[in-house]
Amino acid sequence: MSDTADKVKKIVVEHLGVEEAKVTSEASFIDDLGADSLDTVELVMAFEEAFGVEIPDDAAEKITTVKDAIDYIEAQKAA
Amino acid sequence: MFGSLTTPRRVVVTGMGIASPLGVGVAHVWQRMLASESGIGPISLFDAKDLPAKIAGEVPSGSKTEGKLDFNEWIPVKDQKKMDRFIQLALVAASEAVEDSGWVPETEEDRYVTGVMIGSGIGGLPEIYNGSQLVGQGKAKRLSPFFIPASLINLASGHVSIKYGFKGPNHAVVTACATGVHALGDAARLIALGDADVMVAGGTEAAVCEIGIAGFCASRALSTAFNDSPDQGSRPWDEGRDGFVMGEGAGVMVLEEYEHAKKRGAKIYAEVIGYGMSGDAYHITAPAEGHDGAYRAMKAAFKNSGVTPADVQYVNAHGTSTPMGDDLELEAVEKMFGDSAKGLAMSSTKSAIGHLLGAAGAVEGIFSILAIRDGVAPPTLNLEKPSRESVIDRVAKVPQERKIDVALSNSFGFGGTNASILFRKAP
């Protein structure tokens, strides 16, 4: 697993208070991990802070799973 | 019994919960209060070195088993960031009160008749301060999505309703330092009028923060002469008093319609028999001469209560330890009680916990009920030499055993708002 994936999952565990095992790549923040819309806003802010990237609102709306977040951040870092 | 209602119903108290500078949990706090202990100490929640007032009553940190506060034992960690401290304190006190009452709605209908009315004087001041700092530093985009719901006063009631599924009236009182009594009284009225059968009601406050203390310092309301001897700072009626000591905490009661409580075999602490309100229409912070507003609030509480001042054995005073307010209240109580003032016990429990602002009236209501239950008037600490003599016994320094059937509790707030509430021994 990449460093990015590790870090993303750690942030999700901390912010949503869920067990690490539940945070699979396919897990949806809202459907599987019990987040609400405000939680997801906060998560995106945490990703921005941790990775030093900017995630505009229209991109943030499309980040609904752990994998979405990892992919977006990796793409930003590669760019 | 309340008057001027078409179908007044009796209202009783079936549950109580406290988080206060003397600790967490009604039994623990009351035992410390009767031991004449003080909950006032140096401010630890932030660095107060630049402020003239450096003492406050903070809820002590520690485990539930030692009567102290660890939010992790009460609220899931991930939810704590969604609520400022005043909401968290309300959840702690409400949890104790609800569990104490034994009321567990089983049907949807049960949930519809159970409401919440927990107020606060100021609300999420620490959260607002921290959020403002971020925005001021040009970091508005870093503001938490929970900033607004964490700060709003009615979110204390909101969170309690969400935790327990109480779907009845959901309301919040904001009347500065009169909030607690107004919340209890208004909630009792909702039950008396039939809007609800059970109300979880009270007040909460957590304004021991930079701008909270600085703000009250700016209005010259806080004690500054006892920074080196914090437990002596709150000294209602004493000639050495120089302002109030800020406290934090929450007091919550479960109020219930009498037949509803009887039917489920609930333990009943006391009955709410009277509630009165008034406005000074005088000054934003100072009480009017003779504390006419206080007198009229008490008078209104007696109206339709079925009791007279002669039936009251204990008064829990507003008594904040400010030079002006204490003696004016004393004068108003003397006027209200007339010949029955002689030998009446009146104390200010703020001497032990400080002034809990919007939570004060609710916490003091609980002390008034415990005074009835245990036949003991809690003490006024630090009352060495009163600045004004009175026939009223202000229960200096140590508690007094007394037969107490009816107790009155007063709360007055900035803006010239006054409220009094009467409790009677359980029917």
Side-chain angles (χ1 to χ4, degrees), chain B residues 2-19:
Chain B
F2 292 91
S4 69
L5 305 168
T6 51
T7 57
R9 308 191 302 167
R10 297 173 75 176
V11 180
V12 293
V13 179
T14 56
M16 305 195 290
I18 287 185

Side-chain angles (χ1 to χ4, degrees), chain B residues 108-134:
Chain B
E108 198 65 352
E109 195 53 42
D110 284 344
R111 288 183 268 275
Y112 295 158
V113 297
T114 305
V116 187
M117 175 140 31
I118 298 172
S120 181
I122 307 187
L125 211 48
E127 184 78 19
I128 291 169
Y129 174 75
N130 293 333
S132 304
Q133 297 280 92
L134 271 181

